[in-house]
Amino acid sequence: MAYSKKDITKALETITAPGEGKSLVESGSVKNIVTFDKEIIIDVTIGNPSLQAKKKVEVEIMKVLHQEIDVKADVKVNVTSDVKNEPFKPEKPKVPGIQNIIAIASGKGGVGKSTITSNMAISLQKMGFKVGVLDADVYGPSTHLMFDVANARPLSIEIDGRSKMQPVESYGVKILSLGFFTDANQAVIWRGAMASKALNQMIFDAHWGDLDFLLIDLPPGTGDIHLSIVQSVPVTGAVIVSTPQNIALADAKKGVAMFKQENINVPVLGIVENMSYFTPAELPDNKYYIFGKDGAKNLAEDIDTAFLGEVPLVQSIREAGDVGHPVALQNNTPLENAFSEITKNTLSQLVKRNTDLPPTEVVRITTMSGCSTN
């Protein structure tokens, strides 16, 4: 016997629509209820386009129907968003004085993305460019540690009658990180909206001055922070960091796919392979491919993007980062040369991108089509 739509509707009245302050039923979010034998199909439209809101509604509906209707019911929930066709309008479309914004991303954590970002920033600075780094990994900031300014605090300065944050400067690079504002022993437990607001403050309420490059060190994955960045500033291009192993490459593909989505459309400048091989100090001619060989290079060919270079698995790179003295500060050493080569290849791709493609637009997402949880 089919389930009662009246009972289902009554159960759904206990769930609040995100951002509405009303139940799903009261707000008109429930568009259709279909029952057939043991199957219940619910069509819901909400005003919040975020993936987290959609997933939350889906889970809550399944939970309440299993509790109130039948624990064995086959519940299917289709959640769509309706933002009333009003495009996202950032408070400010870009950061004055910054010529190029490069996002450093990875689909997977622990691949050394912050290490690549820090050393690329140093390499650019040594080439004579004005460089800034925004540590957008709000839950696990590390840039302040890698530049040996863990105890520093941004000062407040007045610019054109407004109070602005002055980024901390180290090794000639301007830096802002949530690590400057939180206790080292305290976990940051924020929802996506709060984290996004903190990022916008570090972008727009800071006096970056004139920069040739702002490198944005993104957190792992493809979530709220990434969308907030591309909705706030026009990202010139993205650099993807991966290790050679298949599990990291699978996530790197997702990172590339995110930037290439039609409604995001940020050019991918190329892929960097970190921890490519291990060479013992006592056997300098030997290479041990611990995580696999040429994985990122092959991926770059498969997705038709540039391979920007490789970084070996060397203890001194980790040690240098831990003590806040990136290896790119060295002069004419193999490690310094490796990061210099990666940076030069990135610049080459950036020049090509700026020659062949129009400036990146700030993303205006009116629907979340293409940004599904599947």
Side-chain angles (χ1 to χ4, degrees), residues 50-357:
S50 72
L51 303 184
Q52 286 78 3
K54 293 166 113 177
K55 192 66 179 177
K56 182 175 183 289
V57 168
E58 179 185 352
V59 170
E60 287 184 351
I61 289 176
M62 295 179 72
K63 182 179 178 180
V64 75
L65 292 185
H66 283 147
Q67 286 178 343
E68 303 296 330
I69 305 299
D70 186 352
V71 71
K72 295 182 179 179
D74 181 12
V75 180
K76 295 180 180 177
V77 183
N78 302 314
V79 184
T80 57
S81 62
D82 177 16
V83 290
K84 300 180 175 60
N85 296 321
E86 294 178 2
F88 175 88
K89 294 180 180 179
E91 184 179 345
K92 296 180 181 179
K94 68 177 196 175
V95 188
I98 299 179
Q99 299 303 312
N100 297 281
I101 299 176
I102 300 178
I104 315 294
S106 64
K108 186 174 180 59
V111 297
K113 172 180 47 57
S114 296
T115 298
I116 299 298
T117 303
S118 300
N119 282 284
M120 280 185 66
I122 295 293
S123 295
L124 286 167
Q125 194 277 333
K126 290 173 71 174
M127 293 175 187
F129 294 108
K130 296 176 182 177
V131 188
V133 173
L134 172 65
D135 189 349
D137 192 349
V138 296
Y139 302 110
S142 57
T143 299
H144 62 303
L145 302 173
M146 291 192 168
F147 280 85
D148 196 23
V149 284
N151 297 319
R153 295 292 180 269
L155 300 176
S156 177
I157 59 172
E158 189 170 301
I159 303 294
D160 298 328
R162 291 187 58 194
S163 180
K164 293 270 191 176
M165 280 186 289
Q166 178 73 53
V168 173
E169 189 165 325
S170 178
Y171 308 125
V173 176
K174 294 180 179 179
I175 306 159
L176 273 182
S177 167
L178 196 68
F180 292 134
F181 307 101
T182 57
D183 190 308
N185 298 316
Q186 181 182 7
V188 177
I189 307 173
W190 286 352
R191 293 189 184 276
M194 193 169 180
S196 298
K197 183 178 179 180
L199 272 181
N200 274 339
Q201 287 182 318
M202 287 197 291
I203 295 172
F204 295 115
D205 292 344
H207 178 59
W208 290 99
D210 293 326
L211 294 180
D212 297 302
F213 298 97
L214 176 65
L215 305 186
I216 301 182
D217 183 6
L218 288 170
T222 53
D224 270 348
I225 300 301
H226 305 74
L227 285 176
S228 294
I229 290 294
V230 298
Q231 285 181 309
S232 300
V233 295
V235 178
T236 315
V239 171
I240 307 297
V241 180
S242 181
T243 57
Q245 64 190 120
N246 289 336
I247 194 169
L249 294 168
D251 287 338
K253 280 185 182 179
K254 295 175 184 177
V256 172
M258 176 191 69
F259 287 113
K260 286 189 173 183
Q261 277 195 145
E262 186 177 352
N263 57 352
I264 293 180
N265 197 29
V266 171
V268 175
L269 302 177
I271 298 177
V272 175
E273 184 177 272
N274 193 25
M275 308 181 207
S276 295
Y277 57 85
F278 171 65
T279 297
E282 62 275 14
L283 298 169
D285 296 327
N286 290 23
K287 290 183 179 180
Y288 299 93
Y289 296 93
I290 298 173
F291 298 114
K293 186 177 181 181
D294 293 336
K297 185 182 292 186
N298 293 333
L299 175 60
E301 291 181 6
D302 291 343
I303 62 177
D304 193 27
T305 193
F307 179 66
L308 300 175
E310 61 185 20
V311 180
L313 178 60
V314 178
Q315 182 176 333
S316 61
I317 295 179
R318 190 271 304 164
E319 291 174 339
D322 284 351
V323 299
H325 196 84
V327 293
L329 289 166
Q330 300 171 1
N331 290 313
N332 201 30
T333 66
L335 295 179
E336 189 263 350
N337 291 337
F339 284 109
S340 177
E341 188 66 23
I342 288 169
T343 303
K344 289 176 182 177
N345 290 338
T346 303
L347 289 175
S348 176
Q349 292 301 314
L350 184 67
V351 170
K352 182 179 178 182
R353 174 256 176 275
N354 287 344
T355 301
D356 297 344
L357 299 174

